[in-house]
């Protein structure tokens, strides 16, 4: 396929965005349920705080599974092609998500209920672990070099759209159903809806073409035999720096979208519809800003945007917690919007940045593993740490301190990574280090 044909690229980018929308819809539906209802329904024999921690524990299992999924699907992507990854990851995640909607509560089957949640969340994580790498490689490896960040922003926008879709359904149900009906069956509807979305996504993805970069690898018989082993041997430092750098994005996103829901409804006594509305508005702003940030990444470089975003996060976490503690919608919304804009300043370009760091023969594995390892630190741990350190009175300064520390860690990692913007590389002196 000609890399300079915008109509063809637009179709591919739209297909990748639809896929990430559906897969992250599945993933986020669980996160919202964990914050709002899973504690009392599946862990009713413990205190509300411990129940919330247990619910976030099952939420975190999905992130622990994601690096395993990235190894599995990365191997498929580097050996068999990027296209099979897109199909099989969506199928696995969709089936696991629908099944969550049918799990009986603790009251009906006892300890088997949270155990089933644990297994299904693990399967969700395996599928999502392969999704991001396949989706961004579909666009990056088709796109012209000077517009990779822009085209890769389509799948990067998918998680925001998926979050809005999942939480929009939850918000509508929460606002229209009495509490007893919402707790009885209303929370299950977003999971059941995943089946319809997954079927539509599979139909679209089976019609996609393989990327030129992988076709060249196959024709030249230069595919890696064991991609993960090659990544560990030759790119381990790059993987760790990538994971450390990206951890700030997960931390901020899940603090705003998952932990704050629990904190606002349980600690501050705020209406869950109000909290969901504030969070969704902030996510919508960050989703709309993603292509703008990507254009800046094509113009000024990926690394510069990542450094700017990390700095902004580090400066904003204490004001964010102070605004959240007020319980006033306008102030909470301001805190959430600024935090999400700071987050997307870094994450809006990583769809191009991370794949560009790796050789084509191990790109699916390397990019996916680095991206999903970051999820363990930022996504799995953050809601647990935030819930445990929030304190019972006053603003949750412990949460702010934790997030500031993660932002500084990410800043340090990005400082050690090279720039990958093609124009920057072309003008670099021969003695400068090139990307791995």
């Amino acid at each position: 396929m000609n890399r300079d044909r915008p109509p063809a690229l637009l179709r591919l980018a739209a297909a990748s965005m639809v896929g990430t929308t559906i897969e992250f819809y599945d993933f986020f539906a669980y996160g919202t349920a964990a914050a709002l209802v899973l504690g009392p329904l599946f862990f009713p024999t413990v205190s509300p705080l411990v129940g919330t921690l247990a619910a976030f524990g099952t939420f975190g299992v999905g992130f622990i599974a994601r690096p395993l999924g990235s190894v599995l699907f990365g191997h498929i992507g580097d050996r068999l092609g990027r296209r099979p990854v897109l199909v099989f990851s969506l199928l696995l995640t969709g089936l696991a998500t629908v099944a969550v909607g049918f799990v009986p509560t603790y009251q009906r089957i006892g300890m088997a209920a949270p155990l089933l949640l644990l297994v299904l969340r693990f399967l969700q994580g395996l599928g999502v672990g392969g999704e991001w790498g396949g989706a961004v490689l579909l666009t990056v490896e088709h796109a012209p070099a000077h517009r990779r960040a822009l085209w890769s922003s389509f799948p990067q926008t998918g998680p925001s759209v998926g979050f809005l879709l999942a939480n929009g359904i939850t918000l509508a149900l929460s606002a229209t159903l009495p509490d007893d009906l919402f707790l009885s069956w209303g929370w299950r509807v977003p999971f059941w809806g995943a089946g319809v979305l997954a079927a539509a996504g599979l139909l679209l993805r089976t019609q996609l073409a393989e990327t030129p970069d992988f076709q060249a690898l196959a024709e030249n018989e230069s595919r890696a035999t064991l991609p993960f082993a090659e990544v560990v041997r030759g790119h381990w430092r790059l993987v760790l720096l990538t994971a450390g750098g990206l951890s700030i994005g997960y931390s901020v996103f899940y603090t705003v979208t998952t932990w704050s829901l629990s904190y606002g409804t349980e600690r501050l006594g705020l209406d869950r519809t109000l909290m969901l509305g504030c969070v969704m508005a902030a996510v919508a702003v960050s989703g709309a800003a993603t292509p703008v940030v990507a254009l800046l990444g094509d113009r000024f470089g990926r690394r510069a945007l990542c450094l700017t975003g990390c700095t902004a996060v580090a400066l904003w976490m204490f004001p964010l917690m102070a605004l959240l503690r007020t319980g006033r919608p306008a102030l909470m919304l301001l805190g959430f919007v600024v935090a999400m804009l700071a987050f997307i300043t870094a994450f809006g370009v990583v769809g191009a940045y991370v794949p560009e760091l790796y050789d084509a023969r191990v790109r699916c594995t390397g990019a996916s593993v680095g991206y999903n390892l970051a999820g363990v630190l930022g996504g799995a741990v953050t809601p647990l740490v935030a819930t445990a350190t929030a304190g019972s009175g006053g603003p949750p300064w412990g949460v702010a301190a934790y997030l500031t520390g993660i932002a500084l860690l990410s800043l340090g990692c990005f400082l050690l990574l090279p720039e990958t913007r093609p124009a920057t590389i072309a003008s670099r002196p021969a003695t400068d280090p090139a990307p791995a």
Side-chain angles (χ1 to χ4, degrees):
M1 178 181 294
N2 190 328
R3 294 175 187 247
D4 296 314
R5 291 173 55 195
L9 273 172
L10 187 60
R11 287 193 297 271
L12 286 165
S16 67
M17 186 181 78
V18 168
T20 54
T21 295
I22 295 169
E23 292 233 27
F24 281 90
Y25 164 91
D26 297 349
F27 209 67
F28 294 145
Y30 192 100
T32 302
L36 297 179
V37 301
L38 294 188
L41 291 178
F42 289 87
F43 305 94
T45 61
V46 297
S47 69
L49 174 60
V50 175
T52 299
L53 285 170
F56 281 147
T58 61
F59 175 73
V61 165
F63 286 97
I64 294 171
R66 283 174 65 166
L68 301 176
S70 66
V71 173
L72 170 64
F73 286 103
H75 183 89
I76 294 173
D78 287 325
R79 289 293 303 161
L80 303 179
R82 321 313 192 195
R83 183 174 170 270
V85 172
L86 298 173
V87 174
F88 292 124
S89 63
L90 180 58
L91 181 62
L92 176 59
T93 307
L95 290 175
T97 303
V98 173
V100 170
F102 290 98
V103 175
T105 63
Y106 183 94
Q107 186 177 8
R108 294 184 59 189
I109 61 173
M111 280 302 298
L115 289 176
L116 282 173
L117 281 185
L118 204 66
V119 171
L120 293 172
R121 182 61 175 174
F122 183 84
L123 294 176
Q124 267 193 332
L126 282 180
V128 173
E131 166 61 30
W132 184 84
V136 296
L137 262 60
L138 179 72
T139 52
V140 167
E141 293 186 347
H142 276 103
H146 69 289
R147 284 290 178 262
R148 284 186 192 139
L150 174 62
W151 288 108
S152 68
S153 71
F154 280 75
Q156 282 297 94
T157 305
S160 296
V161 179
F163 178 88
L164 292 172
L165 185 59
N167 286 274
I169 295 174
T170 302
L171 177 62
L173 292 166
S174 176
T176 57
L177 290 176
D179 283 349
D180 59 334
L181 292 182
F182 183 77
L183 290 172
S184 174
W185 58 265
W187 68 273
R188 299 179 183 272
V189 173
F191 295 95
W192 296 337
V196 177
L197 294 174
L202 285 171
L203 179 63
L204 180 62
R205 286 192 161 186
T206 53
Q207 303 174 17
L208 297 177
E210 189 52 80
T211 70
D213 287 17
F214 181 80
Q215 289 177 344
L217 288 173
E219 291 170 2
N220 297 329
E221 298 184 353
S222 55
R223 289 171 289 178
T225 303
L226 294 172
F228 181 65
E230 191 168 319
V231 167
V232 171
R233 286 195 307 267
H235 303 278
W236 64 268
R237 180 177 178 272
L238 184 57
V239 170
L240 293 178
L241 288 174
T242 301
L246 299 182
S247 62
I248 186 56
Y250 283 97
S251 294
V252 173
F253 189 92
Y254 286 101
T255 294
V256 172
T257 62
T258 300
W259 172 78
S260 68
L261 290 177
S262 175
Y263 182 83
T265 55
E266 294 183 8
R267 298 290 185 92
L268 303 181
L270 299 174
D271 180 69
R272 63 171 174 257
T273 302
L274 169 66
M275 290 300 302
L276 276 172
C278 290
V279 169
M280 288 176 63
V283 173
V285 171
S286 69
T290 302
V292 178
V293 171
L295 281 170
L296 293 174
D298 278 327
R299 176 68 178 83
F300 298 107
R302 291 75 158 110
R303 183 170 173 266
L305 271 293
C306 291
L307 295 174
T308 301
C310 290
T311 303
V313 168
L315 294 173
W316 188 246
M317 290 303 96
F318 279 91
L320 169 63
M321 295 305 152
L323 293 171
L324 174 60
R325 179 63 185 176
T326 67
R328 299 172 62 179
L331 295 180
M332 291 192 301
L333 179 60
L334 172 64
F336 292 157
V337 167
V338 175
M340 292 299 289
L341 287 175
F343 142 77
I344 206 61
T345 299
F347 251 54
V349 297
V350 300
Y353 190 21
V354 176
E356 287 173 341
L357 289 167
Y358 294 89
D359 299 329
R361 58 188 276 115
V362 295
R363 184 173 292 149
C364 194
T365 300
S368 297
V369 170
Y371 184 85
N372 287 291
L373 276 178
V376 176
L377 176 61
V381 176
T382 293
L384 292 170
V385 173
T387 301
T389 61
S392 57
W397 299 132
V399 181
Y402 171 77
L403 292 171
T404 301
I406 294 292
L408 295 176
L409 168 67
S410 296
L411 181 68
C413 290
F414 282 125
L415 284 170
L416 295 174
L417 287 170
E419 177 59 71
T420 63
R421 177 172 167 261
T424 305
I425 296 172
S427 61
R428 180 187 291 135
T431 55
D432 283 3

